[in-house]
Amino acid sequence: MIGADQGVLDASNPRLNGKKLTIGIVQARFNAPITNALAEACKHELMALGVAEKNIDLVQVPGALEVPVALMAMAEKLKYDALVALGCIVRGETYHFELVANESGAGVSRVSLDYQLPIANAILTTENMEQATARQTDKGRDAARAAVEMANLL
């Protein structure tokens, strides 16, 4: 998201020019119908912003708790201008939802701060699958735009 003084995001904004960027994506496979849609929307938007398909690397991990360590491995390569975290955590009947949501979010933030590398966090945390389905495409696109903008900002 850009500053309020610059108005709505639009593709003519130089911060949304991905032509020179290399982006890494980590996708959790748990709740694959949702995370596959997130990944597809994210990749499509990255390419729409000018990121070359050959400059988009996608890796998959079992679930949201594994996302931060994969992000860290990618960050250590010093190859990426920004990273994207994709996953879907749906509330269940136990405390597990809070644990996974909190720990994965904290891990993503820690990697970003430790490596001074922008990471767009699109690990959805929803009450049910209907909410996740309703958000999958928009949040995938939003993550791509945030990654490109932050890469250009930094």
Side-chain angles (χ1 to χ4, degrees):
M1 184 173 277
I2 60 175
D5 60 318
Q6 294 179 345
V8 214
L9 287 174
D10 93 43
S12 66
N13 182 336
R15 284 193 188 169
L16 291 176
N17 181 340
K19 290 187 190 313
K20 296 180 182 178
L21 301 179
T22 300
I23 308 291
I25 302 170
V26 177
Q27 174 193 352
R29 287 190 309 267
F30 198 82
N31 290 319
I34 303 298
T35 65
N36 288 340
L38 279 166
E40 191 59 36
C42 182
K43 287 174 25 185
H44 180 67
E45 187 69 12
L46 286 170
M47 289 186 285
L49 295 171
V51 180
E53 188 170 10
K54 66 181 174 118
N55 292 337
I56 301 170
D57 292 338
L58 178 120
V59 298
Q60 294 183 333
V61 296
L65 286 175
E66 291 78 30
V67 169
V69 72
L71 290 168
M72 187 171 65
M74 292 177 100
E76 286 178 351
K77 292 182 180 183
L78 304 176
K79 167 183 173 180
Y80 300 99
D81 298 296
L83 299 173
V84 178
L86 302 177
C88 178
I89 307 164
V90 178
R91 184 177 300 279
E93 296 177 5
T94 68
Y95 178 73
H96 187 69
F97 172 86
E98 284 82 4
L99 174 73
V100 175
N102 292 339
E103 292 301 317
S104 64
V108 169
S109 294
R110 180 176 169 192
V111 173
S112 181
L113 293 171
D114 286 354
Y115 288 88
Q116 297 179 4
L117 182 66
I119 301 176
N121 187 348
I123 299 177
L124 303 181
T125 52
T126 63
E127 295 294 322
N128 53 53
M129 289 302 282
E130 293 77 25
Q131 288 179 353
T133 301
R135 289 162 176 75
Q136 65 192 8
T137 302
D138 286 343
K139 295 304 178 185
R141 283 195 299 251
D142 290 349
R145 293 171 80 81
V148 169
E149 181 178 354
M150 290 303 295
N152 284 319
L153 178 67
L154 297 182

